[in-house]
């Protein structure tokens, strides 16, 4: 079990990632390729990735270079998931290249002792070797992560909306207690089901929460307690299926003021009851409209306790932007049915 100890100062320094962290998504997706556990939740991604990598030089590089240093194991080097990746893939990869050789040597040695390291791993202390590794990380990201980026952004956007609502409704402690079935809030300690028994004392540094599309069931923390604390955790909602344009029948069902108004009302997220009050319709009718919008791929829905929170998907946001830019778009009106 991992026990994360909070001080009063830490509550003011909790942050949640605003978008997918590219290096954590790379890492967790590589873990998905190393096990059949949970594969059903990523079936279409796994199928696409297998087809993309099979029989290619990139597939061989992933097998020979990436999997050995980012194993699905008790330990992998922290320098491969730097804090700088919060600012994007380029910044994260640059941080890997710029990692001090002494730190690289220490963490590669730890990898060798705890999880096992490939024979070439000690050469990572050389900048040229890290540059080669970074090229493979970028190629892997471009080939198997980037094509699904809209799906990742929508899923993590929904997680942020859910977390923000929980923090507003129940406070930070309520947010921490509801992040995952693998976590339990026992003030002032967050207990996390983990691969080893350890304590992490935040000491006023705060905690960066990183919801990850490819993290499955088990949260992940950095091994080095002296680094800025990070907790990567799996999404609570069902992962979005592969994006697709709505069918003609679904598009026809979307025509009309009521669902257009509903789509606009969900721009910042809303529960079914909130949507019903906003539109002046019954909860049952609001549920019908959200079902149609969800089936058309325009919104996603996440359950939290006794409520369901609805947020836009990238397709829904694009349709809303197009509607708002249209000269004929009028104000959102209360709809009577």
């Amino acid at each position: 079990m991992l026990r994360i100890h909070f001080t009063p100062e830490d509550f003011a320094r909790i942050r949640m990632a605003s978008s997918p962290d590219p290096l954590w998504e790379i890492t967790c997706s590589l873990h998905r390729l190393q096990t059949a556990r949970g594969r059903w939740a990523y079936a279409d991604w796994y199928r696409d990735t297998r087809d993309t990598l099979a029989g290619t030089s990139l597939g061989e590089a992933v097998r020979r270079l990436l999997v050995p240093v980012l194993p699905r194991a008790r330990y992998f080097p922290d320098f491969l998931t730097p804090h700088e990746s919060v600012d994007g893939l380029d910044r994260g990869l640059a941080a890997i290249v710029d990692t001090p050789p002494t730190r690289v040597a220490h963490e590669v040695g730890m990898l060798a002792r705890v999880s096992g390291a490939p024979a070439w791993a000690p050469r990572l202390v050389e900048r040229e070797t890290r540059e080669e590794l970074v090229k493979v990380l970028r190629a892997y990201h471009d080939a198997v992560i980037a094509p699904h980026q809209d799906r990742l952004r929508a899923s993590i956007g929904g997680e942020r909306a859910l977390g923000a609502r929980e923090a507003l409704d129940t406070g930070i402690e309520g947010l921490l207690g509801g992040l995952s079935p693998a976590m339990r809030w026992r003030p002032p300690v967050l207990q996390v089901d983990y691969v080893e028994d350890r304590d992490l004392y935040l000491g006023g540094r705060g905690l960066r929460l990183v919801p990850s599309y490819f993290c499955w069931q088990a949260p992940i923390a950095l091994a080095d307690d002296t680094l800025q604390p990070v907790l990567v955790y799996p999404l609570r909602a069902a992962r979005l299926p592969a994006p697709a344009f709505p069918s003609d029948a679904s598009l026809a069902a979307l025509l009309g003021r009521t669902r257009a108004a509903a789509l606009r009302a969900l721009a910042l997220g809303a529960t079914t009851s909130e949507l019903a009050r906003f539109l002046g319709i019954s909860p049952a009718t609001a549920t019908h409209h959200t079902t149609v919008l969800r089936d058309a791929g325009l919104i996603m829905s996440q359950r939290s306790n006794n409520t369901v929170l609805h947020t836009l998907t990238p397709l829904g946001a694009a349709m809303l932007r197009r509607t708002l830019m249209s000269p004929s778009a009028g104000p959102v009106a209360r709809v009577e049915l």
Side-chain angles (χ1 to χ4, degrees), residues 317-332:
M319 180 170 286
L320 181 60
R321 285 194 299 271
R322 182 175 179 179
T323 301
L324 293 175
M325 292 171 62
S326 171
S328 61
V332 178

Side-chain angles (χ1 to χ4, degrees), residues 194-252:
Y194 211 63
V195 295
E196 61 179 342
D197 192 70
R198 56 182 282 213
D199 291 273
L200 172 59
Y201 293 89
L202 300 181
R205 295 174 295 167
L207 180 66
R208 185 165 76 95
L209 298 170
V210 181
S212 168
Y213 184 87
F214 288 106
C215 183
W216 176 252
Q217 292 188 334
I220 307 172
L222 295 173
D224 186 348
D225 291 351
T226 67
L227 298 173
Q228 180 62 38
V230 171
L231 185 64
V232 180
Y233 69 95
L235 300 176
R236 288 171 284 180
R239 287 154 184 80
L240 287 175
F245 286 101
S247 65
D248 291 341
S250 295
L251 282 174

Side-chain angles (χ1 to χ4, degrees), residues 6 82 290:
F6 286 75
T290 56

Side-chain angles (χ1 to χ4, degrees), residues 129-164:
T129 304
R130 295 197 299 279
E131 288 174 343
E132 290 302 314
L133 183 69
V134 157
K135 290 179 182 178
V136 180
L137 286 168
R138 183 184 294 279
Y140 175 83
H141 179 273
D142 291 347
V144 306
I145 303 293
H148 304 272
Q149 194 69 12
D150 283 350
R151 200 190 321 183
L152 271 65
R153 288 186 180 278
S155 296
I156 290 173
E159 176 69 23
R160 275 177 57 86
L162 184 60

Side-chain angles (χ1 to χ4, degrees), residues 8 14 33 44 54-55 63 91 96 113 118 121 142 153 165 205 208 241 246 250 253 260 269 329 332:
I14 295 174
L33 294 178
D44 60 318
R63 184 192 65 79
R91 289 287 303 277
I96 292 176
R113 291 191 297 273
D142 291 347
R153 288 186 180 278
R165 183 171 292 269
R205 295 174 295 167
R208 185 165 76 95
S250 295
V332 178

Side-chain angles (χ1 to χ4, degrees), residues 17 60 70 91 93 98 100 112 129 137 163 190 192 219 222 232 237 256 308 318 331:
E60 173 61 20
L70 288 168
R91 289 287 303 277
L93 295 179
D98 292 338
T129 304
L137 286 168
L190 181 63
V192 183
L222 295 173
V232 180
V308 178

Side-chain angles (χ1 to χ4, degrees), residues 33-327:
L33 294 178
Q34 296 174 54
T35 178
R37 186 179 181 186
R39 187 171 292 172
W40 60 268
Y42 306 90
D44 60 318
W45 173 84
Y46 178 80
R47 187 167 50 250
D48 290 347
T49 298
R50 181 190 58 196
D51 294 343
T52 297
L53 298 180
T56 66
S57 58
L58 176 58
E60 173 61 20
V62 169
R63 184 192 65 79
R64 185 174 61 86
L65 299 177
L66 299 190
V67 170
V69 295
L70 288 168
R72 182 178 174 270
R74 178 182 167 188
Y75 178 84
F76 53 85
D78 289 331
F79 81 89
L80 294 176
T81 52
H83 175 77
E84 288 82 355
S85 65
V86 69
D87 295 321
L89 182 63
D90 290 344
R91 289 287 303 277
L93 295 179
I96 292 176
V97 173
D98 292 338
T99 306
T102 52
R103 177 183 170 187
V104 175
H106 171 74
E107 294 188 6
V108 168
M110 180 72 73
L111 176 67
R113 291 191 297 273
V114 177
S115 305
W120 59 266
R123 297 204 305 273
L124 284 169
V125 298
E126 303 167 1
R127 186 180 183 89
E128 294 78 9
T129 304
R130 295 197 299 279
E131 288 174 343
E132 290 302 314
L133 183 69
V134 157
K135 290 179 182 178
V136 180
L137 286 168
R138 183 184 294 279
Y140 175 83
H141 179 273
D142 291 347
V144 306
I145 303 293
H148 304 272
Q149 194 69 12
D150 283 350
R151 200 190 321 183
L152 271 65
R153 288 186 180 278
S155 296
I156 290 173
E159 176 69 23
R160 275 177 57 86
L162 184 60
R165 183 171 292 269
E166 286 180 340
L168 289 171
D169 290 346
T170 63
I172 293 298
E173 292 186 342
L175 167 66
L176 293 173
L179 284 175
S180 166
M183 304 184 206
R184 293 160 298 281
W185 176 245
R186 301 290 185 267
V189 177
L190 181 63
Q191 298 178 348
V192 183
D193 294 340
Y194 211 63
V195 295
E196 61 179 342
D197 192 70
R198 56 182 282 213
D199 291 273
L200 172 59
Y201 293 89
L202 300 181
R205 295 174 295 167
L207 180 66
R208 185 165 76 95
L209 298 170
V210 181
S212 168
Y213 184 87
F214 288 106
C215 183
W216 176 252
Q217 292 188 334
I220 307 172
L222 295 173
D224 186 348
D225 291 351
T226 67
L227 298 173
Q228 180 62 38
V230 171
L231 185 64
V232 180
Y233 69 95
L235 300 176
R236 288 171 284 180
R239 287 154 184 80
L240 287 175
F245 286 101
S247 65
D248 291 341
S250 295
L251 282 174
L254 286 170
L255 296 177
R257 295 181 63 197
T258 303
R259 291 191 185 107
L263 196 64
R264 295 183 188 185
L266 295 177
L268 297 178
T271 65
T272 304
S273 58
E274 289 170 343
L275 181 64
R277 287 196 298 270
F278 181 80
L279 297 178
I281 59 180
S282 70
T285 302
T287 296
H288 170 69
H289 289 314
T290 56
T291 298
V292 173
L293 291 169
R294 185 170 56 251
D295 290 346
L298 300 178
I299 68 170
M300 62 180 296
S301 303
Q302 302 180 90
R303 179 169 294 279
S304 176
N305 298 323
N306 296 323
T307 63
V308 178
L309 179 66
H310 309 285
T311 54
L312 299 183
T313 65
L315 180 61
M319 180 170 286
L320 181 60
R321 285 194 299 271
R322 182 175 179 179
T323 301
L324 293 175
M325 292 171 62
S326 171

